[in-house]
Amino acid sequence: MPDLVVYIIQTCVATVLFFVMMFGIGFILNMLLKTTWFPMVLFFIVLIGLAIWSPWDDASRPTLDNIGDYTIIYYIPIIGAMIGAYVSGWAIRALRKGGYKMF
């Protein structure tokens, strides 16, 4: 039972950490490149690359088997990071509509 509590705490901390990290990276990229949804596109490109090549073993199993190796504990922080990338685009868009020219 104590291991379950530790896993839940680690998952919550990892999810918040990835959310904040992707929000910050996305916000900075949006300011520098003057795009709104580039971090979301970049996130999916990196995520697909990691999902395909990261868990491969020497037997070179098909991609769907590789993605099936992940459990829900892996998907929760990934979803948190995706939400952070989306919120960064939403925040930049709201700031631009508000009249802030530097964003």
Side-chain angles (χ1 to χ4, degrees):
M1 186 67 174
D3 290 339
L4 180 63
V5 173
V6 171
Y7 289 142
I8 291 172
I9 292 172
Q10 286 177 346
T11 303
C12 291
V13 168
T15 303
V16 171
L17 178 69
F18 285 134
F19 173 84
V20 171
M21 183 177 62
M22 280 305 298
F23 178 82
I25 291 170
F27 198 85
I28 291 169
L29 282 174
N30 282 328
M31 281 193 313
L32 294 175
L33 300 176
K34 301 288 185 188
T35 62
T36 303
W37 301 112
F38 177 70
M40 280 293 284
V41 173
L42 184 65
F43 178 77
F44 282 116
I45 291 170
V46 170
L47 182 68
I48 289 170
L50 288 176
I52 291 173
W53 287 297
S54 178
W56 272 14
D57 59 355
D58 294 334
S60 296
R61 297 180 313 170
T63 303
L64 292 177
D65 288 342
N66 291 338
I67 293 171
D69 286 342
Y70 292 120
T71 62
I72 190 69
I73 297 299
Y74 293 110
Y75 289 117
I76 292 172
I78 290 170
I79 291 170
M82 182 180 61
I83 292 170
Y86 174 77
V87 171
S88 73
W90 179 82
I92 288 290
R93 188 176 60 177
L95 286 169
R96 286 184 187 143
K97 284 183 181 178
Y100 292 95
K101 299 294 180 194
M102 67 181 269
F103 297 112

